[in-house]
Every structure is written in C-alpha cells, then in structure tokens.
Amino acid sequence: MGSISSSWSFNKFFAIVFVVFAISGEFVAGYYRPSPWSYAHATFYGDETGSETMGGACGYGNLFNSGYGLDTAALSTTLFKDGYGCGQCFQIMCVQSQYCYYGNPTTVVTATNLCPPNWYQDSNNGGWCNPPRTHFDMAKPAFMKLANWKAGIIPVAYRRVPCKRSGGMRFQFQGNAYWLLIFVMNVGGAGDIKSMDVKGSRTNWISMSHNWGASYQAFSSLYGQSLSFRVTSYTTGQTVYAWNVAPSNWNAGMTYPSYTNFR
C-alpha cells in the first residue's frame, strides 16, 4: 500500500452530503434507520476470490454458507467494539480520489472481521487500523465496486444502514452437553447483538455471556431439550424472541434457522 495523509479536506463534500442525506440513525416504528454520513478510509485484503476473507473474528465461518458472500469488511478496533460491531451493515462511498469510479458509486458491506492494529506502522502510513482511526479493510471484490484496486487506500464516506436479510436469524450450535456456544448469523435491522438468553423446554430463561465475535455461551446442561432464544440488539435495545429454534435432539455443528429477525 502506498503512504497517504489523513489530512484531506472533506468539508465541502460533507456540506453537500449532509444537506441531501441528513438522516438520524434511530429506531423508529420498529425499524432501524440509517445514520448520518461520516468519513474514514478503506483498503482491501485478499484477492478476487475472497478466499482470505472466510472465517474471521466474528466467527461466521464460510461467508457463502452463512449468507454474507463477499460484500464484507474487517473493521478497525474503534468500529469493531470487542465484537459488538459484528453483523453491522455499512454503506460506503469512494470520495475525493482519482481512483474513484465515475459517479462515486456506493456499496453495502457487512462487518465480519477485525482489522487489528499494527503498532509498528504510523497510523497515517500503514497502521490504518490503529485506534482511534475508523477504517474498513474490505474484501477485494467489494473494494473493486468503488475504485481501482491499484489505489491501495482510498478516502470514503460511510454510514450505518439497516441490514436487509432474507428470513430469520440463524443459530449455529457448538459446544457440548454442558457448554452451549451459539454463533448468531443473518441478523437484520441494526445487525448486531448486545445480549442473549436461552430457554430450554424444562428451564427458565438462562443468561448467556458474550464469548467472542458474534458468539454467546451458557454453561448449563441443556441437551435433550428444545431451545428458544431471547436476543437484544446492541444498537437499538430491541428484544425479539425466537421460539423453539432447535429440537430436543439438537447437535453441535448444526445450524438452526428461526422465523424471527430485527427490522
């Protein structure tokens, strides 16, 4: 990547953007609304196949199987928020660069990974994900929707947008009979999760603790019971119930869909 300064003047651009797109990020009538535009920078990792983007710090595994594909990005620490940023959706626009495609196109990506700090590099020259910078390290196919990949790094405008998902949330089971670990995928609305509870067919609600990324755990013996989940959004605080998601003979390694989602 070539070196770049973070001292671009975005004032004129954002004066126009805020007049046209000034929409408060809020939860209105049960629906998550876009946030105001801000600015950051974007790079890319991997190649056109996106093979290096599979897995990642959010724990979604194969991103094709989990429904996210290659429209994804790794977030800098400031945006990642210890994993609570997993699943959030961002609209990104290339701005003020000779490498931007004509018309300044936008694309929407889902946060699926962490772009870790590189303390051996200056924040304005290689250490793009060092706090407190806001930065997107995009899958290369997503980056190429905005600009020529030869740019290496581009200034961007971005905003949080609702995650448009088909169907309900999906719950991937890991662990064993005494330790339940759940990865939550295909989350709509604000796309993120603050907390989860699980209820067995023979138990009351049991609080689950945040493990890492988009995973939550319960140290309880729940095998042999059908399971329901209570999920609360990190951004909006909305809570939804996914009843009887998994049958009593659930198994680790399986993914169980629900009919419930945020909007």
Side-chain angles (χ1 to χ4, degrees):
M1 304 297 181
S3 65
I4 195 167
S5 170
S6 62
S7 61
W8 284 292
S9 173
F10 286 85
N11 294 341
K12 182 179 293 184
F13 173 77
F14 279 97
I16 297 172
V17 168
F18 277 116
V19 169
V20 178
F21 295 105
I23 305 174
S24 297
E26 53 189 15
F27 185 59
V28 179
Y31 290 85
Y32 179 69
R33 303 299 189 207
S35 72
W37 289 89
S38 299
Y39 66 89
H41 296 88
T43 49
F44 65 85
Y45 68 114
D47 58 20
E48 287 83 353
T49 68
S51 59
E52 292 184 35
T53 67
M54 299 298 111
C58 291
Y60 295 133
N62 185 304
L63 298 178
F64 290 107
N65 294 341
S66 55
Y68 298 115
L70 298 178
D71 290 324
T72 63
L75 304 182
S76 61
T77 303
T78 300
L79 293 171
F80 190 72
K81 299 173 183 169
D82 293 325
Y84 291 106
C86 289
Q88 292 179 354
C89 297
F90 297 86
Q91 184 180 19
I92 301 178
M93 176 192 302
C94 180
V95 297
Q96 294 192 347
S97 170
Q98 62 177 327
Y99 294 98
C100 295
Y101 291 142
Y102 179 78
N104 299 98
T106 70
T107 192
V108 175
V109 296
T110 299
T112 59
N113 204 352
L114 168 68
C115 180
N118 182 354
W119 301 114
Y120 294 101
Q121 299 290 334
D122 185 89
S123 296
N124 293 325
N125 187 17
W128 311 122
C129 292
N130 295 351
R133 288 179 64 106
T134 53
H135 188 87
F136 298 90
D137 199 19
M138 304 172 67
K140 189 174 182 181
F143 184 95
M144 291 172 64
K145 293 180 179 181
L146 304 179
N148 189 315
W149 65 269
K150 294 181 180 179
I153 182 170
I154 54 173
V156 296
Y158 76 95
R159 63 174 179 170
R160 286 275 306 278
V161 293
C163 296
K164 298 179 180 180
R165 305 298 183 207
S166 176
M169 287 182 281
R170 302 172 193 163
F171 299 83
Q172 182 187 87
F173 280 48
Q174 298 294 338
N176 52 51
Y178 302 97
W179 171 58
L180 180 65
L181 180 67
I182 301 292
F183 291 88
V184 190
M185 300 174 287
N186 202 53
V187 181
D192 51 28
I193 295 174
K194 177 183 179 181
S195 62
M196 279 183 58
D197 304 281
V198 60
K199 184 183 185 308
S201 52
R202 299 191 300 271
T203 72
N204 294 319
W205 286 106
I206 299 169
S207 178
M208 305 182 75
S209 59
H210 184 219
N211 186 294
W212 59 278
S215 69
Y216 290 79
Q217 63 189 358
F219 293 92
S220 300
S221 178
L222 293 167
Y223 196 73
Q225 302 181 58
S226 59
L227 301 182
S228 302
F229 295 97
R230 181 167 60 192
V231 186
T232 299
S233 168
Y234 179 81
T235 297
T236 68
Q238 181 192 16
T239 297
V240 296
Y241 292 80
W243 295 103
N244 300 315
V245 169
S248 58
N249 62 342
W250 58 265
N251 281 298
M254 296 295 293
T255 298
Y256 298 94
S258 73
Y259 296 100
T260 303
N261 219 327
F262 296 107
R263 298 181 293 177

